Amino acid sequence: MIIDPQNAFLFFGSSLLLAAAPGPDNIFVLAQSTAHGWKTGVLVTLGLCTGLIFHTAAAALGLAAILKASPGLLRLIAVLGGAYLLYLAAISVKAILFSQPSEPEQKTARKSARSLYLRGIVMNITNPKVTLFFLAYLPQFVSPGYSPAVVQISAFGIIFMISALTVFSALSLGASALTSTFRSGSIRTGTILNLAVALVYIVLSARIFVSAAAL
């Protein structure tokens, strides 16, 4: 066995709970899905899950120890994440200010698959809560008598990706279904949704800045 089956079961359950708990990543998926539909949410989710590869590699290769010894570096990563959210908020506000009456909201709000995917990667990599989770929590599930620690951490990272993909995809589909009746393509609807998304980004960036100050 690569990892302890009991530890794998416990880790998967805790990962599902963590993914479902309100935080920057799932609220980000919720905002995107609400404003632009489930496909956007799923693309962002795939980016977020890809970003977990960075955290898994960092934990497996010992980079997490460097971050632990350098709180300033961890704080810098968090600040960059908050600044990126403010940038996204500015984009949403710009969409409100420069929207044209003749253009449907779905057309003006649609982003390329590549940009949505990359947006999810950046969001996840700069999320300090995910970094701290892989730094302090994941190594506790590594058991002696099984495969090397690097292999076990990699396996737990894959389990975490599966749990995040499951929860975030469900969240995206649910949010899109609940708001589909309100997305009629009108400019007024697009303005309201873009404003809501901008406010979410601002709140999330504030939370990240507070977390960075506490590191």
Side-chain angles (χ1 to χ4, degrees):
M1 295 292 292
I2 297 177
I3 56 179
D4 185 341
Q6 183 177 358
N7 281 357
F9 178 78
L10 292 174
F11 182 77
F12 181 67
S14 60
S15 298
L16 288 175
L17 292 175
L18 180 67
D25 283 355
N26 52 18
I27 295 178
F28 184 67
V29 171
L30 179 63
Q32 289 293 315
S33 303
T34 301
H36 309 306
W38 68 269
K39 290 183 179 179
T40 295
V42 170
L43 284 169
V44 171
T45 293
L46 292 175
L48 290 170
C49 291
T50 302
L52 292 172
I53 296 175
F54 167 81
H55 295 287
T56 301
L61 299 177
L63 297 179
I66 299 177
L67 291 175
K68 185 176 182 179
S70 306
L73 180 58
L74 186 60
R75 189 177 298 112
L76 174 61
I77 293 175
V79 169
L80 290 175
Y84 182 67
L85 283 172
L86 288 179
Y87 166 73
L88 295 180
I91 291 178
S92 295
V93 172
K94 181 181 178 181
I96 296 172
L97 296 177
F98 296 97
S99 60
Q100 299 298 323
S102 59
E103 283 190 296
E105 184 271 338
Q106 289 286 349
K107 181 178 179 180
T108 59
R110 186 174 295 133
K111 305 293 181 183
S112 70
R114 181 174 179 272
S115 66
L116 292 168
Y117 177 72
L118 292 177
R119 182 175 292 185
I121 294 176
V122 173
M123 269 294 303
N124 186 265
I125 290 178
T126 57
N127 186 347
K129 289 188 176 182
V130 178
T131 302
L132 292 173
F133 175 84
F134 275 79
L135 173 67
Y137 189 67
L138 187 150
Q140 298 180 23
F141 289 86
V142 175
S143 301
Y146 289 86
S147 55
V150 171
V151 177
Q152 290 193 54
I153 290 175
S154 300
F156 284 121
I158 294 174
I159 292 174
F160 190 85
M161 291 177 203
I162 293 173
S163 64
L165 179 63
T166 301
V167 172
F168 291 172
S169 295
L171 181 65
S172 178
L173 292 170
S176 178
L178 287 175
T179 58
S180 60
T181 57
F182 299 101
R183 289 198 306 270
S184 61
S186 66
I187 293 299
R188 179 175 296 181
T189 301
T191 298
I192 293 173
L193 290 175
N194 277 320
L195 179 60
V197 170
L199 290 175
V200 168
Y201 290 157
I202 292 172
V203 171
L204 288 179
S205 66
R207 287 184 58 181
I208 290 179
F209 287 140
V210 171
S211 298
L215 293 176

